[in-house]
Amino acid sequence: MGKIIALANQKGGVGKTTTTINLAASLATLEKTVLVVDADPQANASSGLGVDIQEVDCSIYECIIDKADVREAIYTTDIEGLDIIPSHMDLVGAEIEMLNLTNRERIVSQVLEPLRNEYDYILIDCSPSLGLITVNALTAADSVIIPVQCEYFALEGISKLLNTIKIIKQKLNPKLEIEGFLLTMYDSRLRLANQIYDEVKRHFQELVFKTVIQRNVKLSESPSHGLPVILYDADSTGSKNHLALAKEIINKGEMSSEK
């Protein structure tokens, strides 16, 4: 049975999409079957994995609003074992269209349920908001990864997200866990980055991933080529960091299933 992990933080520019693309590619490289669900209207995860947005006939939008068959929305990528359900600009208006639908917080959960047994991991890239689509993603997920940028306002807004997670846990999805806080854009030369790291570690202790995603030029360049960094430059720091993160998540899953 596959594990559904949402990547969420309502703060923009913290590395959610970069992490989604590269963690998915790393998991697939480690011979796991992975599905990325692009739940962000900007569709950056789709283009970052080589999907031409203009050519997409069926996206997550059609699955949510038009009840399209979810299998029609699955596209393959350049990495074996890694598929994606792309996003679409129309998703911007989907939240308003969903308001009249019954059980509106559970639509994404219903869409993904038939696919659970077909993938080891399903990663949902959430938009930088706490709107209805993100609520749907968190209701569908088993756990959530929270990317935190190593910069001054890093912890701002996290309490809001944690409050949303708490409410969803109470009212919609009691099994939702925090997979971990992931420090991104880390530069060990900056004193501030080290202070943020220490602060996040002090606040959230064992919930912080051991792996840290460092600032890396190759990581920034690879999406413009429609490739995850592991295909763009396998020896880069960005590639090695995400491979380490994938291993950490796999090991954590194996340890908890043994308990």
Side-chain angles (χ1 to χ4, degrees), residues 60-67 70 94-95 97-114 132-133 135-137 139-140 172:
I60 189 69
Y61 172 82
E62 282 77 17
C63 297
I64 292 171
I65 302 300
D66 303 332
K67 301 275 186 282
V70 67
E95 303 208 338
E97 295 176 71
M98 288 165 79
L99 289 175
N100 299 323
L101 301 176
T102 52
N103 229 352
R104 62 187 182 210
E105 294 90 357
R106 299 184 192 276
I107 296 169
V108 170
S109 186
Q110 289 160 2
V111 167
L112 297 180
E113 200 52 46
L132 191 49
I133 304 265
V135 167
N136 259 269
T139 304
L172 295 163

Side-chain angles (χ1 to χ4, degrees), residues 21-22 47-50 78 218-219 221-232:
I21 292 170
N22 292 298
S47 56
L49 282 173
D78 290 338
K218 301 291 184 192
L219 205 50
E221 288 174 358
S222 60
S224 64
H225 297 269
L227 293 171
V229 72
I230 204 159
L231 287 187
Y232 182 65

Side-chain angles (χ1 to χ4, degrees), residues 65-81:
I65 302 300
D66 303 332
K67 301 275 186 282
D69 179 359
V70 67
R71 285 184 177 79
E72 301 276 311
I74 297 173
Y75 290 71
T76 56
T77 70
D78 290 338
I79 290 188
E80 195 182 335

Side-chain angles (χ1 to χ4, degrees), residues 132-159:
L132 191 49
I133 304 265
T134 300
V135 167
N136 259 269
L138 293 171
T139 304
D142 299 304
S143 64
V144 54
I145 291 174
I146 302 168
V148 180
Q149 190 180 353
C150 288
E151 50 121 273
Y152 185 63
F153 294 115
L155 295 178
E156 208 175 71
I158 284 188
S159 57

